[in-house]
Amino acid sequence: SSRYGISSSEADRYLVEIDGRLNSKDEDYMLEKSALSLTTPMSLQWILTRHCNLQCRHCYVEAKNKDFDFPTIEDAKSIARKCVEANIFSITLTGGEAFLVPWPFEIIEIFLANKISVKVFTNGTLFGDAAKDKILKLSRYRDSLFFLTSFDGVQAVHDKIRGEGNYSRTVS
């Protein structure tokens, strides 16, 4: 406790006070406490696929597993609607490579239209002109849509980890 700038006796008194408040019958405090209770997760991570176009040395996803299929667009929309109904605050879409699924932008739009913040983990190598056009159409949600791409260092280091030529594919 001296490490935190208070004595042991002060820390003990503080813990007793906290315990008392947590077990209190005080209506104002109970209302305050219940207002903070969550009935649904604030955030969700959705692994859209285990397929990936890279074979990064460190990856925890078994991308070689070919038995893991994409959900159908109907199933994906059903999952998205359930997230909306559950009042999820934010969702992270990941994989494998999230942009290998045939429908990521349809799902992203459902979340964004319902004020759910979206983060997409991607290796960034699949952003052709079609994907760039779809991203531009979603630019009205720029405060709620984030693309996260890893760079492992200079080109030689990045390519050693993610495969030859992938640094250039990621930055282009």
Side-chain angles (χ1 to χ4, degrees):
S1 55
S2 63
R3 172 178 169 186
Y4 300 104
I6 61 173
S7 69
S8 293
S9 61
E10 288 174 304
D12 288 341
R13 279 194 305 271
Y14 183 67
L15 291 173
V16 167
E17 180 184 331
I18 290 173
D19 186 54
R21 287 196 73 193
L22 289 175
N23 295 310
S24 171
K25 301 295 182 207
D26 179 305
E27 288 182 32
D28 289 336
Y29 178 70
M30 293 305 288
L31 180 62
E32 178 185 323
K33 182 178 167 186
S34 67
L36 296 176
S37 297
L38 297 176
T39 58
T40 187
M42 289 182 63
S43 183
L44 186 77
Q45 180 170 316
W46 183 359
I47 299 173
L48 298 177
T49 180
R50 292 193 181 280
H51 295 285
C52 188
N53 58 321
L54 303 183
Q55 292 184 353
C56 303
R57 293 177 168 210
H58 62 277
C59 189
Y60 66 91
V61 176
E62 186 57 48
K64 298 173 189 109
N65 179 356
K66 303 300 181 200
D67 296 331
F68 188 92
D69 279 330
F70 309 132
T72 64
I73 185 61
E74 293 79 19
D75 288 342
K77 285 181 178 180
S78 175
I79 293 168
R81 281 191 297 272
K82 288 177 183 176
C83 290
V84 169
E85 290 167 9
N87 294 315
I88 300 293
F89 178 74
S90 71
I91 189 155
T92 301
L93 304 176
T94 187
E97 172 52 45
F99 287 105
L100 282 175
V101 300
W103 40 253
F105 289 102
E106 292 177 66
I107 300 306
I108 290 169
E109 180 121 37
I110 289 171
F111 290 128
L112 293 172
N114 286 282
K115 298 182 174 32
I116 297 174
S117 174
V118 178
K119 294 180 217 148
V120 183
F121 279 99
T122 175
N123 60 42
T125 63
L126 300 176
F127 285 143
D129 290 338
K132 289 175 187 174
D133 288 343
K134 290 176 182 178
I135 291 169
L136 286 174
K137 288 178 185 174
L138 294 172
S139 65
R140 67 183 177 273
Y141 300 111
R142 68 181 163 271
D143 293 336
S144 299
L145 176 60
F146 308 92
F147 295 96
L148 303 143
T149 302
S150 296
F151 287 96
D152 302 304
V154 296
Q155 183 171 355
V157 173
H158 186 87
D159 283 354
K160 183 175 182 180
I161 292 170
R162 298 189 185 263
E164 192 64 37
N166 285 311
Y167 180 89
S168 296
R169 290 173 59 207
T170 300
V171 299
S172 64

